[in-house]
Amino acid sequence: VCRAHLPGAGSFQCSVTGLGFEVNSAVTIWYSYGSWNDCLDASAQEEWAIAGPLFSIRAQPGAVRAVHLPHFVCLAEDVDVSQCRIAHFKAGNMILEEPAKLIAFYAVLENPSFSMLGVVWRKLRSTLISLPMHSLVMIFQQLTAANTTLHLYLIPDDNSVKQAIERQEMNWKSKFIPKPSPLNPLFFGCIYQVSSTSHVEITPEPQLPFCYKSPKEQQLFIEIYIRNMAEEIWLLITDIRRDTLVWKASLRSGRISVTVAQAWSPSGAAFIKKHKKELCSRMGRISPILLHLHTANIINSDEEEEVLSQKTRQKKNRVLLELVERKGCKAQEQLYRILQEKDKFLISDLEESS
């Protein structure tokens, strides 16, 4: 569960979940991801397409003027926006509310009452093509596998699903390889073909259906095995229905070989220990880092307040690093991954200096 204490009237956004709040006064808000499968029954899923994460939200009544709920429908396409609703689950019943405003990536609900909330879209029986969706391609290298073994995921642009995959791959000792997302929208129910310009082994098969799966479920992925890594290879994703290329990205041997060389070292813990002094003095904005650690249940609210109560940035950084060190190697690995995402230039500079 995330807790946000908003200091006064204004607009705020969570950097982890994408949730936004417009508030009338100072307020504390608790929120976490929910499961659509627990709330939206099979008959409702026949009529309504899931269009964003589901959230459980608690706040003082009347303090929140509006909530901005993330969605992943591509409004740049020819989309019937009148079919968008916000599903509000109360006592086992679904109430459908019309958003006050619909903008790219967010549906705005004014004067909300809170429980479970998420964006849905009515499925139109008259059309054969589903809604255009923003998507993500996520690639991970399994560090303990032979040669170069990659996991490739094709998912809607949903932070709850993305973070569930990151947690799973971290447990599998994998390293994230960031790549751009598809520029054009994809469509639920369509099959996309994965291929390469070089000889690779793709299992169980080179096709991936594009669909929504709950963060609590095992996400679909394909495994790509590269026996002999060439200087550069390209991975391609094609829309089978239209026979059009929707995504491509290159993998370079230098980057992969460095990753493999680090396979047997506890990279997070070793990095934090080696560069603790530099991190104390050079780590930047600490609030997003704390929010990520809180969301991952590595620190609790009291520990977060302990860090924020320190007078200077350097003291906050030192207390945070010592706190994470006491939690053990997994906690340090998580902090390292957060820093890779939030302050990649600092991490690169420190790694190159050693």
Side-chain angles (χ1 to χ4, degrees):
V1 177
C2 296
R3 188 193 68 162
H5 178 69
L6 308 183
S11 299
F12 302 87
Q13 185 179 39
C14 172
S15 62
V16 176
T17 63
L19 261 181
F21 298 98
E22 298 175 32
V23 300
N24 299 312
S25 59
V27 62
T28 299
I29 303 174
W30 291 265
Y31 53 96
S32 61
Y33 290 123
S35 170
W36 281 108
N37 288 349
D38 294 341
C39 297
L40 201 63
D41 61 34
S43 61
Q45 290 190 39
E46 287 292 319
E47 184 177 0
W48 295 95
I50 293 166
L54 183 67
F55 293 95
S56 172
I57 306 173
R58 290 187 292 122
Q60 179 185 346
V64 179
R65 184 167 64 249
V67 59
H68 294 227
L69 295 160
H71 71 77
F72 42 73
V73 175
C74 180
L75 300 184
E77 300 291 306
D78 186 17
V79 173
D80 185 356
V81 297
S82 68
Q83 302 304 315
C84 176
R85 293 292 184 273
I86 293 172
H88 192 172
F89 297 95
K90 288 184 174 180
N93 297 316
M94 181 173 72
I95 301 167
L96 295 168
E97 303 190 46
E98 193 167 347
K101 192 189 327 181
L102 189 63
I103 55 179
F105 305 107
Y106 295 96
V108 181
L109 180 63
E110 294 181 342
N111 302 314
S113 60
F114 289 126
S115 56
M116 304 291 285
L117 292 171
V119 182
V120 294
W121 226 278
R122 188 187 298 276
K123 295 179 181 179
L124 298 179
R125 305 263 192 268
S126 59
T127 179
L128 297 176
I129 300 176
S130 64
L131 288 165
M133 305 290 193
H134 294 292
S135 63
L136 296 174
V137 175
M138 300 184 72
I139 301 175
F140 295 83
Q141 183 185 0
Q142 273 212 292
L143 298 181
T144 56
N147 293 5
T148 303
T149 302
L150 307 175
H151 292 168
L152 185 147
Y153 298 80
L154 183 60
I155 60 170
D157 189 359
D158 180 325
N159 276 348
S160 65
V161 175
K162 176 176 177 283
Q163 290 158 21
I165 291 172
E166 288 173 340
R167 287 193 297 271
Q168 177 65 81
E169 288 288 344
M170 185 175 72
N171 291 335
W172 290 343
K173 310 299 183 190
S174 301
K175 183 179 179 67
F176 179 53
I177 302 175
K179 291 296 174 185
S181 303
L183 293 177
N184 296 319
L186 304 186
F187 297 87
F188 279 174
C190 292
I191 305 295
Y192 293 88
Q193 175 102 15
V194 180
S195 60
S196 173
T197 55
S198 303
H199 177 69
V200 301
E201 296 177 25
I202 299 177
T203 54
E205 56 185 26
Q207 290 90 26
L208 269 177
F210 182 54
C211 60
Y212 178 88
K213 289 178 74 69
S214 166
K216 293 184 177 180
E217 298 180 89
Q218 171 63 58
Q219 301 296 316
L220 300 175
F221 68 90
I222 61 168
E223 183 175 274
I224 302 171
Y225 175 65
I226 308 170
R227 186 181 300 276
N228 296 305
M229 184 69 189
E231 184 174 337
E232 181 180 43
I233 69 169
W234 286 85
L235 296 178
L236 315 171
I237 299 180
T238 305
D239 182 339
I240 293 179
R241 181 187 58 190
R242 297 175 176 175
D243 193 26
T244 56
L245 186 68
V246 297
W247 178 87
K248 67 176 182 178
S250 66
L251 294 174
R252 297 175 180 86
S253 58
R255 177 171 194 165
I256 295 293
S257 62
V258 169
T259 305
V260 173
Q262 297 171 343
W264 303 105
S265 66
S267 57
F271 180 89
I272 299 298
K273 182 178 180 180
K274 183 172 184 178
H275 298 289
K276 183 176 178 180
K277 183 178 178 181
E278 293 92 340
L279 290 171
C280 281
S281 61
R282 295 179 61 184
M283 272 200 307
R285 291 179 61 235
I286 202 167
S287 295
I289 298 172
L290 290 171
L291 193 53
H292 274 271
L293 292 171
H294 197 162
T295 303
N297 294 320
I298 290 171
I299 64 172
N300 57 38
S301 300
D302 292 338
E303 291 166 334
E304 183 179 358
E305 289 180 4
E306 179 189 354
V307 174
L308 293 174
S309 67
Q310 304 304 311
K311 301 292 186 184
T312 67
R313 178 169 61 87
Q314 286 82 0
K315 286 183 179 179
K316 289 177 182 177
N317 290 344
R318 189 180 72 252
V319 170
L320 173 61
L321 290 169
E322 290 172 351
L323 181 63
V324 172
E325 279 181 325
R326 292 198 298 270
K327 302 274 183 175
C329 289
K330 286 188 176 180
Q332 291 172 75
E333 183 68 33
Q334 184 75 357
L335 175 59
Y336 175 64
R337 287 171 180 265
I338 292 167
L339 289 172
Q340 282 181 312
E341 179 182 339
K342 295 294 180 185
D343 208 344
K344 60 183 178 181
F345 294 109
L346 170 61
I347 299 302
S348 296
D349 187 56
L350 292 176
E351 287 180 332
E352 288 172 7
S353 69
S354 58

